[in-house]
Coordinates of all heavy atoms in Angstrom, one line a residue:
M831 N 126.1 74.9 149.2 CA 125.3 76.1 149.1 C 124.1 76.0 150.1 O 123.4 74.9 150.1 CB 124.9 76.4 147.7 CG 124.1 77.6 147.5 SD 123.8 77.8 145.7 CE 123.3 79.4 145.7
A832 N 123.9 77.0 150.9 CA 122.7 77.0 151.8 C 121.4 77.0 151.0 O 121.3 77.5 149.9 CB 122.8 78.2 152.7
E833 N 120.4 76.4 151.7 CA 119.1 76.4 151.0 C 118.5 77.8 151.0 O 118.7 78.6 151.9 CB 118.2 75.4 151.8 CG 116.9 75.2 151.1 CD 116.2 74.0 151.7 OE1 116.9 73.0 152.0 OE2 114.9 74.0 151.7
L834 N 117.8 78.1 149.9 CA 117.2 79.4 149.7 C 116.0 79.6 150.6 O 115.3 78.6 150.9 CB 116.8 79.6 148.3 CG 117.8 79.6 147.2 CD1 117.2 79.9 145.8 CD2 118.8 80.7 147.5
E835 N 115.8 80.8 151.1 CA 114.6 81.1 151.8 C 113.5 81.2 150.8 O 113.6 81.8 149.8 CB 114.8 82.5 152.5 CG 113.7 83.0 153.3 CD 113.7 82.5 154.7 OE1 114.9 82.2 155.2 OE2 112.7 82.5 155.4
V836 N 112.4 80.5 151.0 CA 111.3 80.4 150.1 C 110.1 81.2 150.6 O 109.6 80.9 151.7 CB 110.8 78.9 149.8 CG1 109.7 78.9 148.9 CG2 112.0 78.1 149.3
L837 N 109.6 82.1 149.8 CA 108.4 82.9 150.1 C 107.3 82.3 149.2 O 107.4 82.4 148.0 CB 108.6 84.4 149.9 CG 109.6 85.1 150.7 CD1 109.8 86.5 150.2 CD2 109.2 85.1 152.2
K838 N 106.2 81.9 149.8 CA 105.1 81.4 149.1 C 104.1 82.5 148.8 O 103.7 83.2 149.8 CB 104.4 80.2 149.8 CG 105.4 79.0 149.9 CD 104.7 77.9 150.6 CE 105.7 76.7 150.7 NZ 105.2 75.6 151.4
V839 N 103.8 82.7 147.6 CA 103.0 83.9 147.2 C 101.6 83.3 146.7 O 101.6 82.4 145.9 CB 103.6 84.7 146.0 CG1 102.8 85.9 145.6 CG2 105.0 85.2 146.5
A840 N 100.6 83.9 147.2 CA 99.2 83.5 146.8 C 98.6 84.7 146.0 O 99.1 85.8 145.9 CB 98.3 83.3 148.0
A841 N 97.5 84.3 145.3 CA 96.8 85.3 144.5 C 96.3 86.5 145.3 O 96.3 87.6 144.8 CB 95.6 84.7 143.8
N842 N 96.1 86.3 146.6 CA 95.6 87.5 147.4 C 96.8 88.1 148.3 O 96.5 88.9 149.1 CB 94.5 87.0 148.4 CG 94.9 85.9 149.3 OD1 96.0 85.4 149.2 ND2 94.0 85.6 150.2
S843 N 98.0 87.7 148.0 CA 99.2 88.3 148.7 C 99.3 89.8 148.2 O 99.1 90.1 147.1 CB 100.5 87.6 148.3 OG 100.5 86.3 148.8
K844 N 99.7 90.6 149.2 CA 99.9 92.0 148.8 C 101.4 92.2 148.3 O 102.3 91.9 149.0 CB 99.7 92.9 150.1 CG 98.3 92.9 150.6 CD 98.1 93.9 151.7 CE 96.8 93.9 152.3 NZ 95.7 93.4 151.6
P845 N 101.5 92.6 147.0 CA 102.9 92.7 146.4 C 103.8 93.6 147.2 O 105.0 93.3 147.3 CB 102.6 93.3 145.1 CG 101.2 93.0 144.8 CD 100.5 93.0 146.1
V846 N 103.4 94.6 147.9 CA 104.2 95.5 148.6 C 104.8 94.7 149.9 O 106.0 94.9 150.2 CB 103.5 96.8 149.1 CG1 104.3 97.6 150.0 CG2 103.1 97.6 147.9
A847 N 103.9 93.9 150.5 CA 104.4 93.2 151.7 C 105.4 92.1 151.2 O 106.4 91.9 151.9 CB 103.2 92.5 152.4
V848 N 105.1 91.4 150.1 CA 106.0 90.4 149.6 C 107.4 91.0 149.2 O 108.4 90.5 149.5 CB 105.4 89.6 148.4 CG1 106.4 88.6 147.8 CG2 104.1 88.9 148.8
A849 N 107.3 92.2 148.6 CA 108.5 92.9 148.2 C 109.4 93.3 149.4 O 110.6 93.2 149.3 CB 108.1 94.2 147.4
G850 N 108.7 93.8 150.4 CA 109.5 94.1 151.6 C 110.2 92.9 152.2 O 111.4 93.0 152.6
A851 N 109.5 91.8 152.3 CA 110.1 90.6 152.8 C 111.2 90.1 151.9 O 112.3 89.7 152.4 CB 109.0 89.5 153.0
L852 N 111.0 90.2 150.6 CA 112.0 89.8 149.6 C 113.2 90.6 149.8 O 114.4 90.1 149.8 CB 111.4 89.9 148.2 CG 112.3 89.5 147.1 CD1 112.7 88.0 147.2 CD2 111.5 89.7 145.8
A853 N 113.1 91.9 149.9 CA 114.2 92.8 150.0 C 115.0 92.5 151.3 O 116.2 92.5 151.3 CB 113.8 94.3 149.9
A854 N 114.3 92.3 152.4 CA 115.0 92.0 153.6 C 115.8 90.7 153.6 O 116.9 90.6 154.0 CB 113.9 91.9 154.8
I855 N 115.2 89.6 152.9 CA 115.9 88.4 152.8 C 117.1 88.5 151.9 O 118.2 88.0 152.2 CB 115.0 87.3 152.2 CG1 113.9 86.9 153.3 CG2 115.8 86.0 151.8 CD1 112.8 86.1 152.7
I856 N 117.0 89.3 150.8 CA 118.1 89.5 149.9 C 119.2 90.3 150.6 O 120.4 90.0 150.5 CB 117.7 90.1 148.6 CG1 116.9 89.1 147.8 CG2 118.9 90.6 147.8 CD1 116.2 89.6 146.6
R857 N 118.9 91.2 151.5 CA 119.9 92.0 152.2 C 120.7 91.1 153.2 O 121.9 91.2 153.3 CB 119.2 93.1 153.1 CG 119.3 94.4 152.4 CD 118.9 95.5 153.4 NE 117.6 95.4 154.1 CZ 116.4 95.7 153.6 NH1 116.4 96.3 152.4 NH2 115.3 95.5 154.2
D858 N 119.9 90.1 153.8 CA 120.6 89.2 154.8 C 121.3 88.0 154.1 O 122.4 87.7 154.5 CB 119.5 88.7 155.8 CG 119.0 89.8 156.7 OD1 119.6 90.8 156.8 OD2 117.9 89.5 157.3
K859 N 120.6 87.4 153.2 CA 121.1 86.1 152.6 C 121.6 86.2 151.2 O 122.0 85.2 150.6 CB 120.0 85.0 152.8 CG 119.7 84.8 154.3 CD 118.8 83.7 154.5 CE 118.5 83.5 155.9 NZ 117.6 82.4 156.2
H860 N 121.4 87.3 150.5 CA 121.9 87.6 149.2 C 121.1 86.9 148.1 O 121.4 87.1 146.9 CB 123.4 87.3 149.0 CG 124.2 88.1 150.0 ND1 124.3 89.5 149.9 CD2 124.8 87.8 151.1 CE1 125.0 89.9 150.9 NE2 125.4 88.9 151.7
Q861 N 120.1 86.1 148.4 CA 119.2 85.6 147.4 C 118.0 84.9 148.1 O 118.1 84.5 149.2 CB 119.9 84.6 146.4 CG 120.4 83.3 146.9 CD 121.0 82.5 145.8 OE1 121.2 83.0 144.7 NE2 121.3 81.3 146.0
A862 N 116.9 84.8 147.3 CA 115.7 84.3 147.8 C 114.9 83.6 146.7 O 115.2 83.8 145.5 CB 114.8 85.3 148.5
E863 N 113.9 82.9 147.1 CA 113.0 82.2 146.1 C 111.6 82.6 146.4 O 111.1 82.5 147.5 CB 113.3 80.7 146.1 CG 112.4 79.9 145.1 CD 112.7 78.5 145.2 OE1 113.9 78.0 145.2 OE2 111.7 77.7 145.3
L864 N 110.9 82.9 145.3 CA 109.4 83.1 145.4 C 108.8 81.9 144.8 O 109.3 81.4 143.8 CB 108.9 84.3 144.7 CG 109.4 85.7 145.2 CD1 108.8 86.8 144.3 CD2 109.0 85.9 146.6
Q865 N 107.7 81.4 145.4 CA 107.0 80.2 144.8 C 105.5 80.6 144.6 O 104.9 81.1 145.5 CB 107.1 79.0 145.8 CG 106.6 77.7 145.2 CD 106.8 76.6 146.3 OE1 106.0 76.5 147.2 NE2 107.8 75.8 146.1
A866 N 105.0 80.4 143.4 CA 103.6 80.7 143.1 C 103.0 79.6 142.3 O 103.6 79.0 141.4 CB 103.6 82.0 142.3
I867 N 101.7 79.4 142.6 CA 100.9 78.4 141.9 C 99.7 79.1 141.4 O 98.9 79.6 142.2 CB 100.5 77.2 142.8 CG1 101.8 76.5 143.3 CG2 99.6 76.2 142.0 CD1 101.5 75.3 144.3
G868 N 99.5 79.1 140.1 CA 98.3 79.8 139.5 C 98.6 81.1 139.0 O 99.6 81.8 139.4
A869 N 97.8 81.6 138.0 CA 98.1 82.8 137.3 C 98.0 84.0 138.3 O 98.9 84.9 138.2 CB 97.0 83.0 136.2
G870 N 97.1 84.1 139.2 CA 97.0 85.2 140.1 C 98.2 85.3 141.0 O 98.7 86.4 141.3
A871 N 98.7 84.2 141.5 CA 99.8 84.2 142.4 C 101.1 84.6 141.6 O 101.9 85.3 142.1 CB 100.0 82.8 143.0
V872 N 101.2 84.1 140.4 CA 102.4 84.5 139.5 C 102.4 86.0 139.3 O 103.4 86.6 139.3 CB 102.4 83.7 138.2 CG1 103.4 84.2 137.2 CG2 102.7 82.2 138.5
N873 N 101.2 86.5 139.0 CA 101.0 88.0 138.8 C 101.5 88.7 140.0 O 102.3 89.7 139.9 CB 99.6 88.3 138.5 CG 99.3 89.8 138.2 OD1 100.1 90.4 137.5 ND2 98.3 90.3 138.9
Q874 N 101.1 88.3 141.2 CA 101.5 89.0 142.4 C 103.0 88.9 142.7 O 103.7 89.8 143.1 CB 100.7 88.5 143.6 CG 99.2 88.7 143.5 CD 98.8 90.2 143.4 OE1 98.9 90.7 142.3 NE2 98.3 90.8 144.4
A875 N 103.6 87.7 142.4 CA 105.0 87.5 142.5 C 105.8 88.4 141.6 O 106.8 89.0 142.0 CB 105.3 86.0 142.3
V876 N 105.4 88.5 140.4 CA 106.1 89.4 139.4 C 106.1 90.8 139.9 O 107.1 91.6 139.8 CB 105.6 89.2 138.0 CG1 106.1 90.3 137.0 CG2 105.9 87.8 137.5
K877 N 104.9 91.3 140.3 CA 104.8 92.7 140.8 C 105.7 92.9 142.0 O 106.3 93.9 142.2 CB 103.3 93.0 141.2 CG 102.4 93.2 140.1 CD 101.1 93.8 140.6 CE 100.0 92.8 140.4 NZ 98.7 93.3 140.9
A878 N 105.8 91.9 142.9 CA 106.6 92.0 144.1 C 108.1 92.1 143.7 O 108.8 92.9 144.3 CB 106.4 90.8 145.0
V879 N 108.5 91.4 142.7 CA 109.9 91.5 142.3 C 110.2 92.9 141.7 O 111.2 93.5 142.0 CB 110.2 90.4 141.2 CG1 111.6 90.6 140.6 CG2 110.2 89.0 141.8
A880 N 109.3 93.4 140.9 CA 109.4 94.8 140.4 C 109.5 95.8 141.5 O 110.4 96.7 141.5 CB 108.3 95.1 139.4
I881 N 108.7 95.7 142.5 CA 108.7 96.6 143.6 C 110.0 96.4 144.4 O 110.6 97.4 144.8 CB 107.5 96.4 144.5 CG1 106.2 96.8 143.8 CG2 107.6 97.2 145.8 CD1 104.9 96.3 144.4
A882 N 110.4 95.2 144.7 CA 111.7 94.9 145.4 C 112.9 95.5 144.7 O 113.8 96.0 145.4 CB 111.9 93.4 145.7
R883 N 112.9 95.5 143.4 CA 114.0 96.1 142.6 C 114.0 97.6 142.9 O 115.1 98.2 143.1 CB 113.8 96.0 141.1 CG 114.0 94.5 140.6 CD 114.1 94.5 139.1 NE 115.3 95.1 138.7 CZ 115.4 95.8 137.6 NH1 114.4 96.0 136.8 NH2 116.6 96.2 137.2
G884 N 112.9 98.2 143.1 CA 112.8 99.7 143.4 C 113.3 99.9 144.8 O 114.0 100.9 145.1
Y885 N 113.1 99.0 145.8 CA 113.6 99.1 147.1 C 115.1 99.0 147.2 O 115.7 99.6 148.0 CB 113.0 98.0 148.1 CG 111.5 98.2 148.4 CD1 110.8 97.1 148.9 CD2 110.8 99.4 148.1 CE1 109.4 97.2 149.2 CE2 109.4 99.5 148.4 CZ 108.8 98.4 148.9 OH 107.4 98.5 149.2
A886 N 115.6 98.1 146.4 CA 117.1 97.8 146.4 C 117.9 98.8 145.6 O 119.1 99.0 145.9 CB 117.3 96.4 145.9
A887 N 117.3 99.4 144.6 CA 118.1 100.3 143.7 C 118.8 101.5 144.4 O 119.9 101.7 144.0 CB 117.1 100.9 142.6
P888 N 118.2 102.2 145.4 CA 118.9 103.3 146.0 C 120.2 102.8 146.7 O 121.1 103.6 146.9 CB 117.9 103.8 147.1 CG 116.6 103.4 146.5 CD 116.8 102.1 145.9
S889 N 120.3 101.5 147.0 CA 121.6 101.0 147.7 C 122.6 100.6 146.6 O 123.6 100.0 146.9 CB 121.2 99.8 148.5 OG 120.3 100.1 149.5
G890 N 122.2 100.8 145.3 CA 123.1 100.4 144.2 C 123.0 98.9 143.9 O 123.9 98.4 143.2
V891 N 122.0 98.2 144.4 CA 121.8 96.8 144.1 C 120.7 96.6 143.0 O 119.6 97.2 143.1 CB 121.3 96.1 145.4 CG1 121.1 94.6 145.1 CG2 122.3 96.2 146.5
D892 N 121.1 95.9 141.9 CA 120.2 95.6 140.8 C 119.8 94.2 141.0 O 120.7 93.3 140.9 CB 120.8 95.9 139.5 CG 119.8 95.8 138.3 OD1 118.6 95.8 138.6 OD2 120.3 95.7 137.2
L893 N 118.5 93.9 141.2 CA 118.1 92.5 141.3 C 117.7 91.9 140.0 O 117.2 92.5 139.1 CB 116.8 92.5 142.2 CG 117.0 93.0 143.7 CD1 115.7 92.9 144.4 CD2 118.1 92.3 144.4
V894 N 118.0 90.6 139.9 CA 117.6 89.8 138.7 C 116.8 88.7 139.2 O 116.9 88.2 140.3 CB 118.9 89.3 137.9 CG1 119.6 90.4 137.3 CG2 119.7 88.4 138.8
C895 N 115.9 88.2 138.3 CA 115.0 87.1 138.6 C 115.1 86.0 137.6 O 115.1 86.3 136.4 CB 113.6 87.8 138.6 SG 112.3 86.6 138.8
V896 N 115.3 84.8 138.1 CA 115.4 83.6 137.2 C 114.1 82.7 137.4 O 114.0 82.1 138.5 CB 116.7 82.8 137.5 CG1 116.8 81.6 136.5 CG2 117.9 83.7 137.3
P897 N 113.2 82.7 136.5 CA 112.0 81.8 136.6 C 112.3 80.4 136.2 O 113.1 80.1 135.4 CB 111.0 82.5 135.7 CG 111.8 83.1 134.6 CD 113.1 83.5 135.3
A898 N 111.6 79.5 136.9 CA 111.7 78.0 136.5 C 110.4 77.3 137.0 O 109.7 77.8 137.9 CB 112.9 77.4 137.2
F899 N 110.2 76.2 136.4 CA 109.1 75.4 136.9 C 109.6 74.5 138.1 O 110.7 74.1 138.1 CB 108.5 74.4 135.8 CG 107.8 75.2 134.8 CD1 108.3 75.4 133.5 CD2 106.5 75.7 135.0 CE1 107.7 76.1 132.5 CE2 105.8 76.3 134.0 CZ 106.4 76.5 132.8
S900 N 108.7 74.2 139.0 CA 109.0 73.4 140.1 C 107.8 72.5 140.5 O 106.7 73.0 140.5 CB 109.4 74.3 141.3 OG 109.7 73.5 142.5
D901 N 108.1 71.2 140.7 CA 107.0 70.3 141.2 C 106.9 70.3 142.7 O 107.9 70.1 143.4 CB 107.2 68.9 140.7 CG 107.1 68.8 139.2 OD1 106.3 69.5 138.6 OD2 107.9 68.0 138.6
V902 N 105.7 70.6 143.2 CA 105.6 70.6 144.7 C 104.4 69.7 145.1 O 103.5 69.5 144.2 CB 105.3 72.1 145.2 CG1 106.5 72.9 145.0 CG2 104.1 72.7 144.6
E903 N 104.4 69.2 146.3 CA 103.3 68.4 146.8 C 102.5 69.2 147.8 O 103.1 69.7 148.8 CB 103.9 67.1 147.4 CG 102.8 66.1 147.7 CD 103.3 64.8 148.3 OE1 104.3 64.3 147.7 OE2 102.7 64.3 149.2
I904 N 101.2 69.3 147.5 CA 100.3 70.0 148.4 C 99.1 69.1 148.7 O 98.4 68.7 147.9 CB 99.8 71.3 147.7 CG1 101.0 72.3 147.5 CG2 98.8 72.0 148.6 CD1 100.6 73.5 146.7
E905 N 99.0 68.8 150.0 CA 98.0 67.9 150.5 C 97.9 66.6 149.8 O 96.9 66.1 149.3 CB 96.6 68.6 150.5 CG 96.5 69.9 151.4 CD 95.2 70.6 151.2 OE1 94.3 70.1 150.5 OE2 95.1 71.7 151.9
G906 N 99.1 66.1 149.5 CA 99.3 64.8 148.9 C 99.1 64.8 147.4 O 99.1 63.8 146.7
E907 N 98.9 66.0 146.8 CA 98.7 66.1 145.4 C 99.9 66.9 144.7 O 100.4 67.9 145.3 CB 97.4 67.0 145.1 CG 97.0 67.0 143.7 CD 95.7 67.8 143.5 OE1 94.9 67.8 144.4 OE2 95.6 68.5 142.5
E908 N 100.4 66.3 143.6 CA 101.5 66.9 142.9 C 101.0 68.1 142.1 O 100.1 68.0 141.3 CB 102.2 65.9 142.0 CG 103.5 66.3 141.4 CD 104.6 66.2 142.4 OE1 104.5 65.5 143.4 OE2 105.7 66.7 142.0
R909 N 101.6 69.3 142.3 CA 101.3 70.5 141.6 C 102.5 71.1 140.9 O 103.6 70.9 141.4 CB 100.7 71.5 142.5 CG 99.5 71.1 143.3 CD 98.2 71.1 142.6 NE 97.9 72.3 141.9 CZ 97.2 73.3 142.4 NH1 96.7 73.3 143.6 NH2 96.9 74.4 141.7
T910 N 102.3 71.8 139.9 CA 103.4 72.5 139.2 C 103.4 74.0 139.6 O 102.4 74.7 139.5 CB 103.4 72.4 137.7 OG1 103.4 71.1 137.3 CG2 104.5 73.2 137.0
A911 N 104.5 74.5 140.2 CA 104.6 75.8 140.6 C 105.6 76.6 139.7 O 106.4 75.9 139.0 CB 105.1 75.9 142.1
I912 N 105.5 77.9 139.8 CA 106.6 78.6 139.1 C 107.4 79.2 140.3 O 106.9 79.7 141.2 CB 106.0 79.8 138.3 CG1 105.1 79.3 137.3 CG2 107.1 80.7 137.8 CD1 105.5 79.5 135.9
K913 N 108.7 79.0 140.2 CA 109.6 79.6 141.2 C 110.4 80.7 140.6 O 110.8 80.6 139.4 CB 110.5 78.5 141.9 CG 111.6 77.9 141.0 CD 112.4 77.0 141.8 CE 113.5 76.4 140.9 NZ 114.4 75.5 141.6
F914 N 110.7 81.7 141.4 CA 111.5 82.8 140.9 C 112.7 82.9 141.9 O 112.5 83.2 143.0 CB 110.7 84.1 140.9 CG 109.5 84.1 140.1 CD1 108.2 83.8 140.6 CD2 109.5 84.5 138.8 CE1 107.1 83.8 139.8 CE2 108.4 84.5 138.0 CZ 107.2 84.2 138.5
V915 N 113.9 82.7 141.4 CA 115.1 82.9 142.2 C 115.5 84.3 142.0 O 115.7 84.8 140.8 CB 116.2 81.9 141.8 CG1 117.5 82.2 142.6 CG2 115.8 80.5 142.0
V916 N 115.6 85.1 143.1 CA 115.9 86.5 143.0 C 117.2 86.8 143.7 O 117.4 86.3 144.8 CB 114.7 87.4 143.6 CG1 115.0 88.8 143.5 CG2 113.4 87.0 143.0
K917 N 118.1 87.4 143.0 CA 119.4 87.7 143.6 C 120.0 89.0 143.0 O 119.5 89.4 141.9 CB 120.4 86.5 143.3 CG 120.5 86.1 141.9 CD 121.3 84.8 141.8 CE 121.2 84.3 140.4 NZ 121.8 83.0 140.2
P918 N 121.0 89.5 143.6 CA 121.7 90.7 143.1 C 122.4 90.4 141.8 O 122.9 89.3 141.6 CB 122.7 91.2 144.2 CG 122.2 90.5 145.4 CD 121.5 89.2 144.9
K919 N 122.5 91.3 140.9 CA 123.1 91.1 139.6 C 124.6 91.2 139.8 O 125.2 91.8 140.6 CB 122.8 92.3 138.7 CG 123.2 92.1 137.2 CD 122.5 93.2 136.4 CE 122.8 93.0 135.0 NZ 122.2 94.0 134.1

């Protein structure tokens, strides 16, 4: 299986922009992953998934989101991120 395209979401990310990128990746590769660290980033990621569902719905595509914890290394420090695998139902 090919590696998923990972979109990193920050607390100051614009959900509409993330949703547009997410919808484009799903159209091309049929699934994507959002990665967020911190409450603000997780909030923006969830909003982006909801908006992307709205973008995909007119094409008859219903997106589902599978959340999971993920350990990532940032600047030599181990952090826990939340990842959201998004794919068509």
